[in-house]
Structures are given as structure tokens and as C-alpha cells.
């Protein structure tokens, strides 16, 4: 089955700096790569996703890049704000295997 | 719309007890699933369903049963709870594409098995 590895497990950044989280996957048949944000005490919420026919996608301060050859994809958050502090999960199809999560802390 | 509703929010069980975690969605989604979340292990798929009357196993199905008698409801049953089932459980739903579309998650059930 699909194996998704996510790094780093924790990330602390100064407000205004950028944050980057990287994921690798094993199944070359995977074609859908979402990112979820989980705030304390809540369920995960989709923040951005990318499909295999696209190399990059942006939505305001967040962007995702995909390298199908290398089987890795990354989440980029620019101009981080305190409300970006959360746990972020990457996932890859076919059965939506999730990474272990990255706890992001934005220092004011 | 309420989205995905899970009950209860918290539960404490003794080893060997049984219980059912409830999940309901009002978005007419065909796809529903159950995940467990453990520290350092992300979200692991327990069972999923692509429609009423159809269920299938995920990555960690042992010790759990599910049924899907209606489109709206997808309960998760623990027949004989074990301490290893202490976890936070999330129900999620999506359109029929399910595995390649946005998942809507409930707010979770925190379960402790003593």
C-alpha cells in the first residue's frame, strides 16, 4: 500500500517568515495530494490540494508543489501569522494515506 | 448544514466493554470513513463505505465493525474494547469520488480504554 512520510515533525518559525513541510510517497499510481490543517480540539480541514497533472498550485499565502518523478510534494506557507499555528497533514491517494503530521508554531 | 456530526465527544470505557461511535452527515455524501489519530502516527483509516450497504476495510480494521444502512449514518462499533484502542476517532465524508476529493471531518471522539 501507499506509504507517506512527512518532515519535519515539528517546526517553529518567527512570524512573517516562511514555513515548508515536505512529504514523500511510495505509490507511483497516486494522483491526488491534499493538505489538511488541524487546530486544537478540531477535526482536520482541507487547505489546499493538487492533482498529478499540475506541478504547483497557490492560494494566497499557501502553495503546494509536486514532483512526480521524485515522488515528493511540499507545502509552503509565506508570511506566517500566529493563526497558522496548527498541525498539518499531507496525504496521498489511492486510499488517502496520511503523513504523521507537522506541528507548526509561529512565534510572535 | 451541520456537516459531519460525531457523538459522543468523550468516552471512557473499561477493557472488554462495547460501544458505538456515532457519525452522521447531512451533505448527501456517498463516501464515509473512520480514522483514528494517535501521536506520531497521523490519521489511519479504519473502515470506509462508498454507499449504503457497502463497507470495506482500511489500514487498521481489527477490533472494529461498521455498517452503512443509510446514506447519512456510519456508526463504528467496538465489540470488546482494548487499551490499544485508546485514541481520537474521526469520521469523514466526501462525494462519491471520495479518495480524490475533499474530505469533511467531524470534530472527533476522544476514547480512553482503561
Amino acid at each position: 500500500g501507499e506509504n507517506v512520510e512527512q518532515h519535519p515533525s515539528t517546526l517553529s518559525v518567527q512570524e512573517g517568515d516562511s514555513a515548508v513541510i515536505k512529504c514523500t510517497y511510495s505509490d507511483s499510481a497516486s494522483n491526488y495530494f491534499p493538505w489538511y490543517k488541524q487546530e486544537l480540539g478540531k477535526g482536520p480541514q482541507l487547505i489546499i490540494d493538487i492533482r498529478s497533472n499540475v506541478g504547483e498550485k497557490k492560494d494566497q499565502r499557501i502553495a503546494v508543489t509536486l514532483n512526480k518523478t521524485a515522488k515528493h510534494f511540499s507545502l509552503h506557507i509565506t508570511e506566517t501569522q500566529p493563526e497558522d499555528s496548527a498541525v498539518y497533514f499531507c496525504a496521498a491517494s489511492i486510499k488517502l494515506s496520511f503523513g504523521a503530521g507537522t506541528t507548526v508554531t509561529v512565534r510572535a | 448544514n451541520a456537516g459531519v456530526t460525531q457523538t459522543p465527544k468523550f468516552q471512557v470505557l473499561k477493557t472488554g466493554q462495547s460501544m458505538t461511535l456515532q457519525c452522521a452527515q447531512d451533505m448527501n455524501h456517498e463516501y464515509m470513513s473512520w480514522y483514528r489519530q494517535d501521536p506520531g502516527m497521523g490519521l489511519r483509516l479504519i473502515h470506509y463505505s462508498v454507499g449504503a450497504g457497502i463497507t470495506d476495510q482500511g489500514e487498521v480494521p481489527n477490533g472494529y465493525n461498521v455498517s452503512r444502512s443509510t446514506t447519512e449514518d456510519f456508526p463504528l462499533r467496538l465489540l470488546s474494547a482494548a487499551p490499544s484502542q485508546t485514541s481520537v476517532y474521526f469520521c469523514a465524508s466526501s462525494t462519491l469520488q471520495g479518495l480524490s476529493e475533499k474530505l469533511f471531518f467531524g470534530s472527533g471522539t476522544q476514547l480512553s480504554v482503561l
Side-chain angles (χ1 to χ4, degrees), chain A residues 46-66:
Chain A
L46 181 76
I47 55 172
I48 195 168
D49 57 12
I50 192 168
R51 300 184 189 275
S52 58
N53 58 347
V54 176
E56 183 176 4
K57 184 177 179 180
K58 290 183 180 180
D59 183 2
Q60 298 183 341
R61 295 186 298 107
I62 59 174
V64 57
T65 58
L66 171 65

Side-chain angles (χ1 to χ4, degrees), chain A residues 36 38 43-44 51 89 94 96 99-100, chain B residues 37 40 42 90 99-100 103 105-106:
Chain A
Y36 286 81
Q38 184 180 25
R51 300 184 189 275
F89 293 98
I94 300 293
L96 266 187
Chain B
Q37 183 176 22
F90 288 99
L99 304 174
S100 296
L103 279 175
F105 283 86

Side-chain angles (χ1 to χ4, degrees), chain B residues 53-82:
Chain B
I54 306 169
T55 63
D56 205 348
Q57 295 181 349
E59 180 185 356
V60 288
N62 293 341
Y64 307 96
N65 282 348
V66 292
S67 60
R68 184 93 180 270
S69 56
T70 67
T71 300
E72 294 78 19
D73 300 299
F74 191 45
L76 178 72
R77 298 184 185 86
L78 285 71
L79 298 179
S80 179

Side-chain angles (χ1 to χ4, degrees), chain A residues 31-32 36 38 41-46 49 51 87 89 93-101, chain B residues 35 37 40-43 45 48 56-58 90 98-108:
Chain A
N31 59 5
Y32 176 64
Y36 286 81
Q38 184 180 25
K42 297 183 178 180
Q45 284 195 308
L46 181 76
D49 57 12
R51 300 184 189 275
V87 179
F89 293 98
S93 56
I94 300 293
K95 281 190 175 180
L96 266 187
S97 298
F98 282 82
Chain B
Y35 288 86
Q37 183 176 22
M41 303 189 75
L43 294 156
L45 183 64
Y48 66 97
D56 205 348
Q57 295 181 349
F90 288 99
L99 304 174
S100 296
E101 296 295 335
K102 176 181 179 179
L103 279 175
F104 292 81
F105 283 86
S107 57

